[in-house]
């Protein structure tokens, strides 16, 4: 259902852009807009500025502060888990419209510096735990934390659908693309009787070494300045 | 067009699946057994020949602190296995020099004199070894005590991992007292040392010889053998009694 709504919005926007392309010759020079985005990389805001007839620059920030509880379980261990993802970036993108007749299609490239790009998983024992005839409290058992960090510079490539600058005062467009993140650093920490899990940091590092593509699918709301 | 697209899509999907492993793949939950921080190894031998205690030897814990004493696996049910049991204080009990925790250990076996030892947990040392040789009724000879193991020059490091046969996602780092004997010689097991989170370094092993290693946990005896040809080994033994988390 969500994908149908997305495609419907996309068709409306592209359709409007196709109709509007006969109205005026394409030129972005000195055009300005402010863009608010929502999507797979959270929320963001950008300033768009046209520097050439078909090329505009976008500079902005994005943030994903995500937290979820109990979506990860270890069989046989009464535990609660907290999953978190924190991605904050500053980015600069070049937005090029290659075809006069397809001005709803944009090629987007650039880079972002991820001030924070980390994912974490904390596993805590639930309430009171028994060991033989002993009842242990959570402090006596400890917890396990899996941590992955992609902090650093990441190039971006993608396409945009629908124009970057509104022909009137407001428009909606879409971006599809991906960042290529730096090689992640991963480790495992443990406390209490779970402290031995730190020895598996190398395995986690190996498992996530190819987790470098951060797909972007976002809807943007642009206000002409 | 469809014929050309389908294989391409399949290849892309296969590549995506291959490039990304599940982050937790091959990662197990590793659990330490050092929940009891202050422990005492009770090692009962037959004073007649220095060998293992009689099979019917029994242990009883008495004294004011008896209710705070548990077997290493956390059970109140404390029994000897091959003359060996490890007891310890409940984890919320912390003894000090000024406030030691005391309990009595009574060993009895048919035809043998009852032996009683006082165990004192002071907090100064977390592990202690209590050898208790028992003598037959009427015997006046001093009990035979096995000589200490020979000390060699080389330090051999061993890293023990407890495997859970019914739980492939769980692994144990045993903190337990370790015994050893030369393989196929048939002698008694001797105390080798304390496995701290599975690790021990010792000078009691001679290169070129094969040894049996033994631990007692939760009333069960677990053994593994290894020929010593290098300076360190990772050894694995099934320890189902330690997997009941």
């Amino acid at each position: 259902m969500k994908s149908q709504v997305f495609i419907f919005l996309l068709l409306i926007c592209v359709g409007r852009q196709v109709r509007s392309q006969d109205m005026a010759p394409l030129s972005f020079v000195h055009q300005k807009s402010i863009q608010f985005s929502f999507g797979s990389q959270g929320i963001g805001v950008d300033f768009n500025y046209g520097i050439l007839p078909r090329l505009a620059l976008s500079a902005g920030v994005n943030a994903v502060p995500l937290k979820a509880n109990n979506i990860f379980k270890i069989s046989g261990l009464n535990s609660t888990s907290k999953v978190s993802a924190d991605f904050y970036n500053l980015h600069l993108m070049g937005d090029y419209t290659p075809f006069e007749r397809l001005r709803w299609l944009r090629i987007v490239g650039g880079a972002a510096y991820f001030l924070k790009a980390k994912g974490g998983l904390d596993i805590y024992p639930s309430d009171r735990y028994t060991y033989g005839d002993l009842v242990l409290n959570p402090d006596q058992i400890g917890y396990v934390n899996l941590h992955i960090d992609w902090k650093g510079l990441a190039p971006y490539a993608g396409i945009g659908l629908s124009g970057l600058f509104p022909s009137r005062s407001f428009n909606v467009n879409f971006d599809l693309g991906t960042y290529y993140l730096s090689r992640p650093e991963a480790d495992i920490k443990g406390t209490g009787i779970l402290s031995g899990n730190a020895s598996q940091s190398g395995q986690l590092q190996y498992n996530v070494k190819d987790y470098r593509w951060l797909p972007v699918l976002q809807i943007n709301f642009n206000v002409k300045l | 067009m469809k014929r050309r697209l389908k294989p391409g899509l399949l290849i892309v999907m296969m590549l995506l699946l291959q490039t990304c492993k599940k982050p937790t793949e091959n990662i197990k939950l590793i659990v330490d057994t050092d929940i009891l921080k202050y422990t005492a190894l009770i090692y009962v031998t037959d004073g007649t020949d220095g060998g293992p205690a009689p099979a019917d030897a029994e242990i009883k814990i008495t004294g004011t602190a008896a209710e705070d004493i548990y077997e290493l696996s956390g059970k109140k049910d404390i029994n000897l296995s091959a003359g060996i049991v490890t007891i310890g204080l409940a984890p919320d009990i912390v003894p000090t020099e000024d406030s030691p925790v005391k309990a009595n250990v009574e060993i009895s076996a048919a035809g043998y004199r009852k032996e009683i030892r006082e165990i004192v947990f002071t907090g100064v040392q977390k592990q202690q070894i209590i050898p208790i040789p028992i003598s037959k009724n009427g015997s006046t000879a001093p009990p035979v005590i096995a000589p200490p193991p020979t000390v060699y020059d080389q330090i051999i490091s061993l890293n023990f991992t407890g495997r859970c046969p019914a739980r492939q996602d769980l692994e144990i780092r045993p903190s337990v007292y370790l015994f050893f004997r030369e393989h196929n010689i048939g002698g008694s097991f001797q105390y080798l040392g304390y496995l701290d989170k599975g690790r021990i370094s010792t000078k009691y092993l001679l290169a070129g010889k094969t040894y049996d290693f033994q631990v007692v946990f939760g009333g069960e005896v677990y053994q593994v053998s290894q020929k010593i040809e290098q300076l360190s080994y990772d050894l694995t033994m099934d320890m189902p009694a330690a997997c009941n988390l």
Side-chain angles (χ1 to χ4, degrees):
Chain A
M1 185 62 188
K2 281 181 182 173
S3 60
Q4 287 172 337
V5 171
F6 179 80
I7 291 167
F8 180 68
L9 281 170
L10 189 65
L11 289 173
I12 288 175
C13 294
V14 171
R16 283 189 173 176
Q17 193 69 34
V18 169
R19 282 198 305 275
S20 67
Q21 68 189 27
D22 297 332
M23 295 168 63
L26 183 65
S27 178
F28 296 153
V29 179
H30 301 314
Q31 288 201 53
K32 296 187 283 276
S33 70
I34 190 101
Q35 172 181 298
F36 301 95
S37 59
F38 303 88
S40 60
Q41 54 166 357
I43 56 172
V45 60
D46 283 76
F47 175 70
N48 305 321
Y49 183 74
I51 57 170
L52 292 172
R54 293 187 183 183
L55 181 65
L57 290 181
S58 297
V61 296
N62 267 96
V64 182
L66 268 182
K67 292 201 188 317
N69 290 334
N70 294 326
I71 61 171
F72 187 88
K73 282 281 180 190
I74 293 179
S75 61
L77 182 72
N78 293 332
S79 61
T80 57
S81 65
K82 292 179 184 174
V83 176
S84 63
D86 286 303
F87 286 76
Y88 299 91
N89 74 52
L90 300 173
H91 55 259
L92 180 65
M93 302 290 172
D95 211 298
Y96 180 66
T97 301
F99 308 111
E100 179 81 23
R101 290 180 59 80
L102 301 174
R103 61 177 65 178
W104 51 269
L105 177 66
R106 295 173 284 116
I107 304 296
V108 184
Y113 183 79
F114 282 82
L115 305 163
K116 257 188 183 182
K118 58 185 181 183
L121 169 64
D122 293 320
I123 303 165
Y124 296 88
S126 303
D127 50 55
R128 300 185 337 151
Y129 219 96
T130 57
Y131 176 77
D133 296 321
L134 286 164
V135 178
L136 304 178
N137 61 46
D139 288 340
Q140 288 167 327
I141 298 175
Y143 68 90
V144 179
N145 167 256
L146 285 73
H147 176 259
I148 306 167
D149 197 338
W150 292 268
K151 189 176 166 185
L153 200 63
Y156 174 87
I159 60 169
L161 301 176
S162 189
L164 188 66
F165 296 105
S167 53
R168 294 177 187 168
S169 59
F170 173 80
N171 82 343
V172 178
N173 63 26
F174 300 88
D175 275 295
L176 307 163
T178 182
Y179 284 106
Y180 187 64
L181 301 170
S182 58
R183 189 171 289 278
E185 291 180 7
D187 64 19
I188 301 178
K189 291 187 175 73
T191 64
I193 62 168
L194 303 176
S195 62
N197 289 281
S199 65
Q200 300 184 99
S201 292
Q203 182 67 48
L204 179 63
Q205 176 81 48
Y206 177 75
N207 289 353
V208 300
K209 68 180 172 34
D210 295 323
Y211 279 65
R212 300 183 67 178
W213 299 100
L214 178 66
V216 172
L217 172 60
Q218 69 183 30
I219 182 169
N220 308 308
F221 301 93
N222 295 284
V223 179
K224 193 170 188 175
L225 297 176
Chain B
M1 188 65 180
K2 277 185 180 177
R3 280 183 187 171
R4 292 175 67 183
L5 269 178
K6 275 185 178 174
L9 193 62
L10 190 65
I11 290 167
V12 169
M13 286 176 69
M14 284 176 68
L15 283 173
L16 284 172
L17 286 171
Q18 283 179 357
T19 52
C20 288
K21 282 172 168 280
K22 188 180 170 191
T24 53
E25 189 171 312
N26 294 327
I27 290 180
K28 297 182 175 182
L29 186 67
I30 299 175
V31 178
D32 295 336
T33 62
D34 59 347
I35 288 171
L36 307 189
K37 303 299 182 191
Y38 297 91
T39 61
L41 167 68
I42 310 297
Y43 181 29
V44 183
T45 55
D46 188 334
T48 310
D49 57 7
D56 66 344
E58 293 183 348
I59 183 171
K60 188 177 175 187
I61 310 294
T62 60
T64 52
E67 63 181 24
D68 295 324
I69 304 286
Y70 291 80
E71 199 271 334
L72 192 58
S73 63
K75 292 177 182 169
K76 280 305 285 181
D77 188 22
I78 298 172
N79 295 299
L80 291 168
S81 298
I84 298 165
V85 70
T86 300
I87 59 172
L89 290 177
D92 53 342
I93 307 290
V94 180
T96 63
E97 275 188 284
D98 296 333
S99 176
V101 177
K102 298 177 182 177
N104 294 322
V105 172
E106 291 181 15
I107 305 295
S108 58
Y112 288 78
R113 283 200 300 271
K114 180 186 281 188
E115 293 287 341
I116 300 176
R117 295 284 189 282
E118 184 183 55
I119 313 295
V120 183
F121 297 97
T122 63
V124 175
Q125 59 184 58
K126 291 192 169 181
Q127 291 91 36
Q128 53 184 311
I129 301 125
I130 313 293
I132 306 179
I134 55 173
S135 299
K136 287 187 173 170
N137 290 331
S139 171
T140 55
V144 174
I145 307 291
T150 307
V151 177
Y152 301 103
D153 291 334
Q154 277 189 327
I155 298 175
I156 307 294
S157 297
L158 305 173
N159 182 26
F160 286 81
T161 299
R163 187 167 46 202
C164 298
R167 292 279 308 275
Q168 297 299 318
D169 59 338
L170 191 62
E171 203 169 271
I172 303 298
R173 283 202 311 183
S175 291
V176 61
Y177 298 87
L178 179 67
F179 287 77
F180 79 117
R181 72 177 176 193
E182 199 174 333
H183 187 60
N184 281 341
I185 297 297
S188 301
F189 278 92
Q190 287 184 286
Y191 176 62
L192 181 71
Y194 182 75
L195 278 184
D196 186 7
K197 299 183 193 303
R199 293 183 179 276
I200 191 170
S201 293
T202 180
K203 286 187 160 184
Y204 290 161
L205 305 176
L206 183 61
K209 291 196 171 184
T210 302
Y211 293 94
D212 300 325
F213 299 99
Q214 174 183 281
V215 299
V216 175
F217 186 95
E220 301 290 336
V221 178
Y222 301 119
Q223 293 181 1
V224 63
S225 299
Q226 178 63 51
K227 185 174 185 181
I228 303 300
E229 294 175 308
Q230 55 195 47
L231 295 179
S232 68
Y233 285 94
D234 291 324
L235 302 177
T236 302
M237 55 186 156
D238 287 346
M239 293 186 68
C243 305
N244 299 323
L245 272 173

